[in-house]
Amino acid sequence: EKSFIDFLNKKSDLDLFEHSYKLYEKEMNEDAIVALNLCIERKIHLDTCYFRLGNTYSTLGNNDLGIKYLKKSLDINPNYFYASFNLGAIYYDLLDFENSIYYYQIANKLEANNDYVLYGIAANQYAIQNYNESEKNCLEALKINPNNSNAKELLQMLKDKKK
């Protein structure tokens, strides 16, 4: 651990940032956390580093820290689409549909006509039994991407409900 930190400390900001990205991409999570925290200490691309740190913690099953760091990313860059999108997904997995819809709606404002976002909203609406809105968003998602298999499956579930 200490020699790894010494290794990272010798890197320039740009090299450290690139190295942290490689660790993140290879899902070398513990090392990525160390490198990303060092980037944050040096104030290198804070929105991106907090975003990656949040994703890494979520991947490791620590959703509290995942959410904390994704929110920090959004505090720095309120237009960070993927931070909003990922928060929507994490909250959905935690069955916190209200927060999930909130973050998916932010993502939808940032990137309109994203079928994955519209499906995310539709899935939440289904979970809270708001079936008409769910169907509307499913159809909208399929208009954008007719091959969105999740939206197709949800639409079928909605049709089965009506029978």
Side-chain angles (χ1 to χ4, degrees):
E1 175 88 11
K2 177 133 177 49
S3 61
F4 179 61
I5 293 172
D6 290 341
F7 165 75
L8 294 175
N9 274 324
K10 291 177 184 154
K11 292 188 170 293
S12 69
D13 287 356
L14 179 61
D15 287 345
L16 175 62
F17 182 72
E18 288 177 358
H19 192 74
S20 73
Y21 179 67
K22 287 176 186 161
L23 294 168
Y24 169 80
E25 279 294 296
K26 291 179 180 172
E27 295 186 24
M28 298 174 71
N29 295 319
E30 300 302 329
D31 289 343
I33 288 169
V34 171
L36 288 164
N37 276 313
L38 192 53
C39 287
I40 289 166
E41 270 179 42
R42 291 194 199 176
K43 299 186 178 357
I44 306 166
H45 302 294
L46 288 174
D47 60 340
T48 303
C49 289
Y50 280 124
F51 171 77
R52 291 176 183 161
L53 196 56
N55 287 337
T56 301
Y57 277 115
S58 284
T59 298
L60 293 172
N62 189 336
N63 287 315
D64 290 342
L65 282 177
I67 288 167
K68 173 186 173 182
Y69 290 120
L70 286 168
K71 284 183 175 179
K72 276 189 175 225
S73 172
L74 270 181
D75 288 344
I76 295 163
N77 180 359
N79 295 322
Y80 208 141
F81 168 80
Y82 290 106
S84 298
F85 182 86
N86 289 8
L87 281 164
I90 291 168
Y91 277 119
Y92 179 82
D93 290 344
L94 294 173
L95 308 180
D96 183 343
F97 305 118
E98 191 176 315
N99 273 314
S100 180
I101 289 172
Y102 173 78
Y103 284 103
Y104 276 134
Q105 286 175 333
I106 291 173
N108 194 42
K109 285 180 187 139
L110 294 173
E111 192 175 299
N113 298 322
N114 182 305
D115 62 301
Y116 293 104
V117 172
L118 291 167
Y119 165 74
I121 294 170
N124 276 284
Q125 290 164 329
Y126 182 87
I128 60 173
Q129 300 178 351
N130 189 345
Y131 301 126
N132 289 336
E133 284 299 306
S134 180
E135 183 176 24
K136 190 180 94 182
N137 282 295
C138 254
L139 290 169
E140 199 61 38
L142 288 167
K143 206 183 296 178
I144 295 162
N145 177 7
N147 297 318
N148 184 319
S149 59
N150 290 326
K152 284 181 186 176
E153 191 176 311
L154 182 55
L155 194 58
Q156 188 57 54
M157 288 167 56
L158 286 159
K159 286 178 181 171
D160 293 345
K161 277 249 179 260
K162 289 182 178 180
K163 289 180 182 174

